[in-house]
Amino acid sequence: MAGAVDLSGLKQRAQQKAGPSGPSGPDGPGPEPGGVEITEANFEEEVIVRSEEVPVVVALWSPRSDACVELVDTLSGLAAADNGKWSLATVNVDAAPRVARIFGVDAVPTVVALAAGQPISSFQGVQPADQLRRWLDSLLSATEGKLRGASGSEDSAQVDPELAQAREQLEAGDFDAAKQSYQAVLDANPGSAEAKGAIRQIDFLSRATAQRPDAVAIADAAPGDIAAAFAAADVQILNQDVGAAFERLIALIRSTSGDDRTSVRTRLIELFELFDPADPEVVVGRRNLANALY
């Protein structure tokens, strides 16, 4: 079950769907930008997780645009000069359109800066090197002392042993032990987003892995059975059929009322919370839920 542990964002589904392709597009390799080329498979690690350590500057570009290539080249030079103070991540919008949609991009080049998993600044279009330098300096100043520093640094090497133990137990599929360890972390640090998220995932995985493998067929045969629908949605999410799981419960909301409708809505929101709020399927699911309710 180690491969099913990470339910947030795009990482899990991308690892299963993405082929062994690199940053080159469908028509062959394009210009090689500096920084880390972002795909669905490495989005979480190189953007979300990395931004907990240092600011991540995401450049959304297209090799068809000379302006894009110019901006990425300038950012690459600045990143090299700053020697790890911030991380440059590039998204070829032609090769990774799903990643581009996360940022709501309607024009390239667009640059978005993230820290601690959240966007904090952005701009569109080409900027001169001196203006980029001032923007980066402002970004570094705003985040100074608020992130844990690059991996491998002396500060980041100090990992909470209880947190490290919880991660190992979760990766090993020992859900009961992992939940206890994460709960201990949460008791000591009630603001721990990792512990809160991990406990939600563990509760889901414990429930979903206990469902019958034919739960989807059972629910399809009894469309009004709420318990069957809950079981089927769990199995569908476990099998990475996330959009179908959301739509199953939204359809049930449309056909129920009163306490039944409330219970289905509550379960659906719990399932949304297993994922990054920017995940396109969560965005669509929340919009469809709102339409079903109102």
Side-chain angles (χ1 to χ4, degrees):
M1 284 304 301
V5 166
D6 191 348
L7 294 174
S8 60
L10 300 171
K11 183 177 180 183
Q12 173 72 10
R13 295 196 297 285
Q15 288 173 336
Q16 295 188 350
K17 293 179 181 177
S21 59
S24 60
D27 299 322
E32 288 292 336
V36 179
E37 181 74 2
I38 301 302
T39 65
E40 291 183 44
N42 68 359
F43 172 81
E44 183 175 345
E45 180 179 356
E46 296 293 348
V47 177
I48 302 301
V49 175
R50 180 65 169 157
S51 72
E52 299 284 351
E53 301 172 348
V54 295
V56 174
V57 174
V58 181
L60 296 112
W61 73 297
S62 168
R64 296 178 286 106
S65 165
D66 291 341
C68 287
V69 174
E70 177 187 345
L71 178 62
V72 170
D73 284 346
T74 304
L75 286 170
S76 297
L78 292 168
D82 282 348
N83 195 29
K85 293 180 181 178
W86 55 278
S87 178
L88 175 61
T90 61
V91 177
N92 181 340
V93 299
D94 302 324
R98 278 173 56 90
V99 178
R101 283 199 294 272
I102 291 174
F103 293 94
V105 170
D106 56 12
V108 291
T110 294
V111 175
V112 181
L114 295 93
Q118 298 297 321
I120 59 173
S121 183
S122 65
F123 65 83
Q124 287 186 346
V126 176
Q127 305 290 335
D130 59 343
Q131 189 166 331
L132 284 173
R133 179 70 271 168
R134 289 193 295 272
W135 181 76
L136 289 166
D137 288 343
S138 175
L139 176 65
L140 293 171
S141 176
T143 56
E144 185 176 3
K146 298 178 181 178
L147 304 175
R148 65 173 182 258
S151 297
S153 69
E154 184 176 347
D155 291 340
S156 66
Q158 303 300 318
V159 178
D160 181 345
E162 288 189 350
L163 194 56
Q165 174 179 276
R167 291 170 180 168
E168 291 175 1
Q169 291 166 334
L170 186 55
E171 288 294 332
D174 190 349
F175 300 150
D176 291 339
K179 184 173 181 178
Q180 289 179 7
S181 296
Y182 273 117
Q183 188 59 56
V185 171
L186 193 59
D187 291 343
N189 178 16
S192 174
E194 177 177 343
K196 291 178 182 177
I199 289 171
R200 280 198 299 267
Q201 291 183 5
I202 290 166
D203 287 342
F204 167 76
L205 288 166
S206 298
R207 184 183 73 227
T209 53
Q211 304 290 5
R212 293 178 50 162
D214 58 349
V216 173
I218 292 174
D220 288 345
D225 189 324
I226 294 176
F230 285 175
D234 284 352
V235 170
Q236 286 176 303
I237 287 180
L238 202 60
N239 291 332
Q240 305 304 316
D241 194 4
V242 177
F246 292 166
E247 188 52 41
R248 177 183 296 278
L249 298 189
I250 290 167
L252 197 55
I253 286 171
R254 294 189 183 103
S255 64
T256 55
S257 60
D259 291 343
D260 285 346
R261 175 182 257 204
T262 299
S263 68
V264 178
R265 175 182 175 275
T266 299
R267 173 60 64 89
L268 181 59
I269 291 173
E270 289 173 358
L271 296 180
F272 287 157
E273 291 176 348
L274 295 171
F275 300 89
D276 189 312
D279 186 317
E281 286 174 316
V282 174
V283 173
V284 171
R286 287 189 180 277
R287 183 170 63 244
N288 289 344
L289 170 60
N291 291 336
L293 290 172
Y294 306 110

